Amino acid sequence: MPLALLALAIGAFGIGTTEFVIMGLLPQVAGDFGVSIPTAGFLVTGYAVGVMLGAPLMTVLGTKIPRKRMLMVLMGFFIVGNLLSAVAPVFAVMLIGRVVASLAHGAFFGIGSVVAAELVAPQKKAGAIAMMFTGLTVANVVGVPLGTLIGQNIGWRVTFAIVAALGVIGLAGIAKLVPDMPKPEGVHLRHEIAAFKNVQVLLAMAMTVLGFGGVFAAITYITPMMTNVAGFAESSVTWLLVLFGLGMVGGNLVGGKFADRALMPMLYVSLGALALVLGLFTVTAHNKFLAAITIALIGALGFATVPPLQKRVLDQASGAPTLASAVNIGAFNAGNALSAWLGGIVISAGLGYTAPNWVGAALAAGALVLAVVSAVLERRTAAPSLVVAGAGQRQAEPVHH
């Protein structure tokens, strides 16, 4: 594997850290700015909306300039956004910083996947892409807990300054190690957009929004839930996030292993189990041991949906894989934004810190329903084609007297 993949993985590590670390620091940020925790939750929502909008916008822009240069531009947005968050004098400025940083997210993984695949031999493309995404996975095991620990003991501003420094390292690595690649030829926006006329592409993205949104409904407010309901000390949130990250690593591996073998059954099982576990979290959140196990399960089941959902989108949009891939990453974050907003509403309504778990269970159940609908429509579409093909085959058979 070339060293250029290490530069991409470092960038992915920084992006993954800044996306998730805010959840462990919401009480500190809310306290410093004098806002409520549901209001501080807009830092999660704002980031997610930025990814959702920035993924297609930046990916389309990336078709006009060389990929290496575009990756460097994206890391520039990431660095500026995190520095702005680190020095923000008021809450609104920090929110702007979060949105600026989020613009790099979707396009970095979309374009970075293409670059990673081109850096190696054809038989190693999947491994190269996986190595880049390893940075995102490891961020949830190392970067997020460490960033939370630093934020709680030294200050959350220090956490975002360190994340910005990671971006500088990633930018330098891309500049030094990623080879120059020519601007893609023959890429037309109308071809990319045409893929979204396919109802199966839209259904797959809707499953992404609801499925992973279920995870974020619970995890966005994990700190106040675990400290106020389960009775954990604030310092314990760090190792709880480690459990969540380990669950994500395991779920990602399992989801990737079975997505190629039985994609839709894998989605049925993971989404159904996720809805069930999120519903149970309203009960297990009151017990430290059960809460810890449930958090790991949410991470595992949530990320077990990621490889099959991403593959489902790519399968259904084979004519426009780059834009579809980036937009689906935006769809994950649309789910994050929706669930963080809904979770804040139910908490503000006085339903308690466990109420977002019911929101998450409902979202995951909705994704399961869409998966079933998608499979039924696919079978109905395939059936007439088989009938026509069979009739044509019979017509071509010679007549014997």
Side-chain angles (χ1 to χ4, degrees):
M1 290 289 179
L3 283 175
L5 292 176
L6 178 60
L8 295 175
I10 291 171
F13 178 84
I15 290 173
T17 299
T18 204
E19 179 183 18
F20 292 104
V21 76
I22 187 62
M23 292 177 291
L25 301 175
L26 279 183
Q28 287 78 17
V29 174
D32 280 2
F33 287 124
V35 300
S36 67
I37 285 179
T39 298
F42 281 110
L43 296 173
V44 178
T45 305
Y47 187 95
V49 171
V51 175
M52 183 175 59
L53 299 178
L57 179 65
M58 292 294 184
T59 301
V60 169
L61 178 62
T63 65
K64 306 299 181 183
I65 65 176
R67 291 182 179 128
K68 175 179 178 176
R69 188 184 306 168
M70 189 61 200
L71 287 171
M72 293 173 67
V73 169
L74 292 171
M75 290 311 298
F77 274 100
F78 175 79
I79 294 164
V80 170
N82 280 286
L83 283 177
L84 199 56
S85 293
V87 301
V90 294
F91 181 77
V93 175
M94 184 176 185
L95 182 58
I96 292 171
R98 291 286 291 167
V99 173
V100 171
S102 72
L103 295 176
H105 188 122
F108 183 87
F109 286 107
I111 297 171
S113 295
V114 177
V115 170
E118 291 184 355
L119 288 170
V120 297
Q123 68 272 20
K124 295 183 179 179
K125 289 183 182 293
I129 295 172
M131 183 173 178
M132 184 192 74
F133 275 93
T134 296
L136 176 64
T137 308
V138 173
N140 289 280
V141 180
V142 179
V144 173
L146 187 58
T148 302
L149 186 65
I150 291 171
Q152 290 176 346
N153 290 277
I154 303 177
W156 59 266
R157 294 181 187 275
V158 176
T159 296
F160 284 99
I162 292 173
V163 172
L166 284 173
V168 173
I169 296 171
L171 174 59
I174 291 169
K176 179 71 175 177
L177 300 174
V178 174
D180 289 316
M181 295 181 175
K183 183 174 67 175
E185 299 293 338
V187 177
H188 301 290
L189 183 58
R190 65 179 184 274
H191 298 146
E192 300 281 356
I193 294 175
F196 298 96
K197 296 178 181 178
N198 183 345
V199 68
Q200 289 289 359
V201 171
L202 300 180
L203 279 171
M205 290 182 175
M207 281 185 264
T208 296
V209 170
L210 297 180
F212 210 66
V215 175
F216 256 68
I219 298 302
T220 297
Y221 302 99
I222 194 68
T223 298
M225 192 191 310
M226 290 298 95
T227 55
N228 290 284
V229 179
F232 281 106
E234 199 171 79
S235 58
S236 298
V237 174
T238 300
W239 68 262
L240 289 173
L241 289 175
V242 170
L243 286 178
F244 177 70
L246 290 171
M248 290 171 67
V249 173
N252 186 51
L253 294 173
V254 172
K257 181 178 180 180
F258 289 100
D260 284 324
R261 298 182 183 180
L263 192 149
M264 293 309 291
M266 182 64 201
L267 279 179
Y268 298 151
V269 171
S270 56
L271 289 172
L274 178 61
L276 178 62
V277 169
L278 284 167
L280 288 174
F281 198 22
T282 58
V283 177
T284 60
H286 294 270
N287 179 280
K288 289 183 179 180
F289 177 72
L290 294 178
I293 293 175
T294 307
I295 288 170
L297 286 174
I298 291 172
L301 293 170
F303 244 73
T305 68
V306 174
L309 283 172
Q310 191 73 3
K311 187 174 186 298
R312 179 73 173 171
V313 169
L314 294 178
D315 287 347
Q316 300 297 328
S318 56
T322 304
L323 182 58
S325 175
V327 170
N328 197 49
I329 291 172
F332 280 108
N333 286 271
N336 299 350
L338 174 66
S339 60
W341 174 64
L342 291 175
I345 287 178
V346 294
I347 291 174
S348 297
L351 299 178
Y353 285 119
T354 61
N357 298 330
W358 286 117
V359 173
L363 291 174
L368 176 59
V369 170
L370 289 182
V372 174
V373 170
S374 178
V376 170
L377 289 177
E378 193 170 39
R379 283 195 295 269
R380 287 181 179 177
T381 303
S385 301
L386 291 174
V387 171
V388 171
Q393 187 177 29
R394 286 194 299 272
Q395 191 173 12
E397 291 175 355
V399 178
H400 299 285
H401 297 285

